[in-house]
Amino acid sequence: MRPLAAAPPLLLPLCLLAALFAQPARAQQPFYTDDADVTGRGQFFFEAINEFDVLHSSSRPAVRQNTATFTLSYGLFRNAEVSVSAPLITIFNERGTFPRRVNGVGDTSIQIKYNFLKEREGSRLPAMTVAFTVETPTGSVEKGTGSGLFDYSLNGILQKSLTGRTTLRANGGLVFAGNTATGAVGLRTRGNVFTGGASVVRRFSERLALGAEVTGARARNKDLSRGLLQGQVGGNYTLNDRMTLDFGVLAGRYVASPRLGAQVGLSVDLNTRLSEREK
């Protein structure tokens, strides 16, 4: 999920694009823990985020990775959306390695997400959503930007308002086939991988929301080198009624996680009439 100095050239055209639209934006970025909300029927929602990671020494010759991910979501029908996500990856190798820098498109993901139960006032039940994702091998195996595999995964999402300003989200899923690798980050073990995570986000004002999360993954092989565990703190700042600035810093354990990382991105509602992610 590239150097922070490289972020502005990529984000500038996104800002120009976002300025063309004028609708309220909501997003779960920068968190990996997904939310239960879906894009309204017939509406579009766009997210772009840039992550720069410092990798563990066991990832050498790769020492750093930069990933710019772009996601477009569309509301298929009430309570359901489809989204396409594609990353641009830059891997920085240690000195003496050729090539020193590798650039390329990563693997493209297609996801269908269905919110089958909404949170209701007075009920103890959380909102419940299920998401099925297929990741296609559009990246280059030779460059290290792609896995060369088709990945299939299923993720369950729970979301509960603890107070009027604080929201708890929890995910639990399974990668049936393929792996979770994105460039040099993620599990390269093929086969079943269990994934999970939880986040707490609090809105401190009309513009600012901050939160924290813990996410992880474990292959059936219990070797620690086949695990992923990371934490992140971050949030969103509403720039205007159509767009948010998303930001976060993270740290992880084990080779599959980045040692340190930082994210910055934008979330934009692309609709021409007043709307919000479907209630």
Side-chain angles (χ1 to χ4, degrees):
M1 299 181 196
R2 143 192 71 152
L4 293 178
L10 282 173
L11 291 178
L12 180 58
L14 297 178
C15 293
L16 295 177
L17 173 65
L20 299 176
F21 302 94
Q23 302 307 320
R26 292 182 56 193
Q28 179 61 5
Q29 284 190 166
F31 302 108
Y32 285 92
T33 307
D34 203 357
D35 61 3
D37 302 321
V38 295
T39 304
R41 183 179 62 177
Q43 300 169 3
F44 289 92
F45 196 77
F46 177 71
E47 295 170 296
I49 194 157
N50 189 87
E51 179 173 332
F52 176 66
D53 293 321
V54 177
L55 307 179
H56 291 280
S57 59
S58 50
S59 296
R60 292 180 178 174
V63 292
R64 297 183 300 277
Q65 177 170 307
N66 192 85
T67 307
T69 303
F70 306 90
T71 304
L72 181 64
S73 302
Y74 175 74
L76 280 176
F77 48 86
R78 184 173 177 81
N79 302 329
E81 72 174 23
V82 62
S83 62
V84 178
S85 180
L88 298 177
I89 299 173
T90 302
I91 299 174
F92 301 85
N93 294 316
E94 60 186 345
R95 293 182 179 179
T97 303
F98 182 83
R100 182 75 185 279
R101 178 184 298 188
V102 175
N103 301 281
V105 176
D107 293 338
T108 300
S109 297
I110 302 172
Q111 182 186 84
I112 296 178
K113 187 176 177 183
Y114 179 61
N115 173 215
F116 61 89
L117 181 65
K118 296 187 178 298
E119 185 178 3
R120 291 177 172 82
E121 187 175 354
S123 173
R124 294 184 179 182
L125 291 176
M128 300 182 186
T129 297
V130 63
F132 178 71
T133 305
V134 177
E135 188 174 83
T136 62
T138 54
S140 171
V141 177
E142 292 74 17
K143 290 183 177 181
T145 61
S147 67
L149 304 171
F150 279 93
D151 305 335
Y152 304 93
S153 62
L154 186 67
N155 188 39
I157 304 163
L158 302 178
Q159 179 172 300
K160 182 66 176 176
S161 298
L162 302 181
T163 69
R165 290 178 173 266
T166 305
T167 303
L168 172 67
R169 298 178 175 96
N171 291 185
L174 175 66
V175 178
F176 295 100
N179 62 34
T180 69
T182 300
V185 177
L187 292 171
R188 297 187 176 277
T189 301
R190 298 181 63 171
N192 294 343
V193 176
F194 300 95
T195 61
S199 70
V200 176
V201 178
R202 178 174 175 80
R203 181 159 294 281
F204 287 88
S205 70
E206 290 300 316
R207 289 185 175 270
L208 180 64
L210 298 174
E213 73 170 352
V214 176
T215 55
R218 174 58 69 95
R220 296 184 67 179
N221 186 324
K222 296 184 179 180
D223 187 332
L224 289 181
S225 67
R226 299 184 184 276
L228 183 156
L229 180 65
Q230 65 185 45
Q232 179 174 200
V233 293
N236 320 104
Y237 184 79
T238 301
L239 299 174
N240 49 48
D241 62 355
R242 63 187 180 271
M243 180 169 54
T244 65
L245 173 67
D246 313 316
F247 52 89
V249 293
L250 57 93
R253 294 190 61 188
Y254 314 135
V255 64
S257 309
R259 183 163 62 90
L260 295 171
Q263 297 192 78
V264 62
L266 295 172
S267 299
V268 188
D269 191 320
L270 301 182
N271 302 296
T272 57
R273 64 181 186 277
L274 186 61
S275 65
E276 61 183 41
R277 300 195 83 184
E278 196 167 18
K279 294 181 179 180

